[in-house]
């Protein structure tokens, strides 16, 4: 345990506070496999996963990150069993109820991306409430991607553009119609669980993000793993197509 604490502090000290990413996006994957390894139902993995969300959000706030986006439910995740979807919705509601006081205390502004109107009413109402109540906070902006799909995001933007009868659009205008219009593009994308794909996450927004894949399953992705990802990011050379 002592070694572990030293490890964490060493890693934290290595992080260059002047070169922090502004926006980190995370595909939190591997809850089901974590549970399976332990002969537990998948939903236990989701419960454990929520505990990691607490830890990562707190760490993000501590290091002074401005935006953290977490992929919590994709437009494709409706294909899962009714019970799994129901458990995920309950966990989400429970998380919001439990975390609201802490968001207020830690100056966290809560937001979402994705078509949240299609979520069950009890979840939707809570989301709206937490967004409103934390809307004036000025620390970390925590964004949950819920019923989010990168293609849905783009199609949605196109439909709004058509409605506004714009006939020729610029990249900036497209950006302004996406769910992320008020949020800078992610500097760093993290995906846990060893899968190396985007799974319909921020398709437009990730065009120049640094990608970080780790085999660690989401329920085991702790503070130390988060620091490792940030350190790796700081060692990358970003070029944006230039020299
Ligand atoms: C990620 O874990 C959580 C959600 C998609 C909601 P998974 O449930 O996808 O876990 P694996 O990929 O089956 O291990
Ligand atoms: C991506 O994980 C979605 C979330 C983490 C919410 P999935 O587990 O749904 O993605 P695939 O099926 O492995 O591509
Ligand atoms: Mg998965």
């Amino acid at each position: 345990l002592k070694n572990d604490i030293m490890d964490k502090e060493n890693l934290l000290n290595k992080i260059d506070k002047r070169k922090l990413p502004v926006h980190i996006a995370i595909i939190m994957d591997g809850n089901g496999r974590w549970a399976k390894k332990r002969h537990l139902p998948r939903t236990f993995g989701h419960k454990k996963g929520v505990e990691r969300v607490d830890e990562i959000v707190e760490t993000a706030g501590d290091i002074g990150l401005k935006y953290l986006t977490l992929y919590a439910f994709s437009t494709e995740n409706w294909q899962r069993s009714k019970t799994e979807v129901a458990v995920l919705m309950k966990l989400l509601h429970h998380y919001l109820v439990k975390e609201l006081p802490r968001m207020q205390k830690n100056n966290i502004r809560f937001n979402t991306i994705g078509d949240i109107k299609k979520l069950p009413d009890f979840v939707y109402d809570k989301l709206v409430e937490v967004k409103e109540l934390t809307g004036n906070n000025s620390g970390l902006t925590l964004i949950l991607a819920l019923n989010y799909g990168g293609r849905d995001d783009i199609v949605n933007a196109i439909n709004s553009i058509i409605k506004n009868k714009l006939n020729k659009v610029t990249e900036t205008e497209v950006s302004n119609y996406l769910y992320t219009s008020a949020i800078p593009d992610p500097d760093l994308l993290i995906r846990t669980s060893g899968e190396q794909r985007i799974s319909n996450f921020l398709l437009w927004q990730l065009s120049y993000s640094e990608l970080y894949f780790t085999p660690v399953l989401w329920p085991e992705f702790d503070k130390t793993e988060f620091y490792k990802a940030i350190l790796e990011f700081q060692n990358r050379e970003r070029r944006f197509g230039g020299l």
Side-chain angles (χ1 to χ4, degrees):
L1 182 71
K2 207 177 152 208
N3 274 343
D4 198 49
I5 292 169
M6 275 172 54
D7 216 40
K8 232 178 258 174
E9 285 181 356
N10 280 340
L11 280 171
L12 181 57
N13 287 335
K14 276 192 204 149
I15 291 175
D16 182 348
K17 287 279 163 66
R18 294 157 309 175
K19 265 177 66 181
L20 278 179
V22 174
H23 181 183
I24 299 181
I26 307 183
I27 302 177
M28 310 182 288
D29 197 14
N31 293 350
R33 277 162 285 167
W34 181 89
K36 196 172 178 209
K37 268 200 334 204
R38 286 161 182 76
H39 307 285
L40 294 167
R42 294 177 55 82
T43 49
F44 275 66
H46 295 316
K47 276 192 196 131
K48 195 76 194 166
V50 177
E51 289 172 27
R52 283 307 176 200
V53 171
D54 286 345
E55 179 174 346
I56 297 307
V57 170
E58 193 180 320
T59 309
D62 288 348
I63 60 172
L65 192 76
K66 289 308 290 174
Y67 300 90
L68 177 68
T69 300
L70 303 176
Y71 203 7
F73 196 84
S74 75
T75 47
E76 286 72 35
N77 287 148
W78 297 107
Q79 295 166 42
R80 298 191 179 191
S81 77
K82 256 193 179 154
T83 35
E84 184 170 346
V85 171
V87 168
L88 284 168
M89 293 304 150
K90 272 189 206 149
L91 280 172
L92 173 59
H93 181 262
H94 184 73
Y95 172 81
L96 294 167
V97 173
K98 187 173 65 81
E99 286 306 302
L100 176 60
R102 205 148 63 132
M103 287 183 202
Q104 298 296 35
K105 182 173 156 272
N106 295 336
N107 198 21
I108 292 174
R109 185 168 58 148
F110 177 77
N111 215 337
T112 61
I113 54 171
D115 187 3
I116 60 168
K117 283 198 204 79
K118 306 245 168 71
L119 300 176
D121 286 345
F122 76 103
V123 176
Y124 175 81
D125 293 344
K126 201 77 213 169
L127 287 166
V128 171
E129 182 194 330
V130 177
K131 275 196 227 187
E132 272 175 16
L133 292 173
T134 64
N136 288 323
N137 292 346
S138 57
L140 171 73
T141 299
L142 169 64
I143 302 137
L144 288 189
L146 293 165
N147 191 23
Y148 179 86
R151 289 186 173 180
D152 178 63
D153 198 356
I154 292 167
V155 168
N156 200 48
I158 292 172
N159 282 323
S160 306
I161 290 168
I162 293 171
K163 235 188 262 162
N164 285 293
K165 293 203 177 71
L166 287 175
N167 48 23
K168 198 171 174 215
V169 291
T170 61
E171 288 189 11
T172 312
E173 279 164 336
V174 173
S175 293
N176 289 343
Y177 279 100
L178 296 171
Y179 289 118
T180 48
S181 58
I183 306 161
D185 288 343
D187 301 290
L188 170 63
L189 171 79
I190 298 172
R191 182 170 189 151
T192 59
S193 91
E195 309 297 354
Q196 303 193 3
R197 53 177 174 259
I198 300 298
S199 299
N200 201 15
F201 200 25
L202 304 157
L203 298 178
W204 171 281
Q205 298 87 338
L206 291 172
S207 47
Y208 267 106
S209 308
E210 293 297 325
L211 310 179
Y212 178 87
F213 298 105
T214 169
V216 176
L217 302 173
W218 177 253
E220 289 170 342
F221 189 83
D222 62 7
K223 220 179 190 163
T224 310
E225 294 298 332
F226 194 43
Y227 291 152
K228 275 193 213 161
I230 295 171
L231 269 177
E232 157 98 20
F233 168 82
Q234 295 190 329
N235 288 322
R236 302 261 181 100
E237 189 198 350
R238 300 187 79 186
R239 296 166 72 168
F240 302 97
L243 282 176

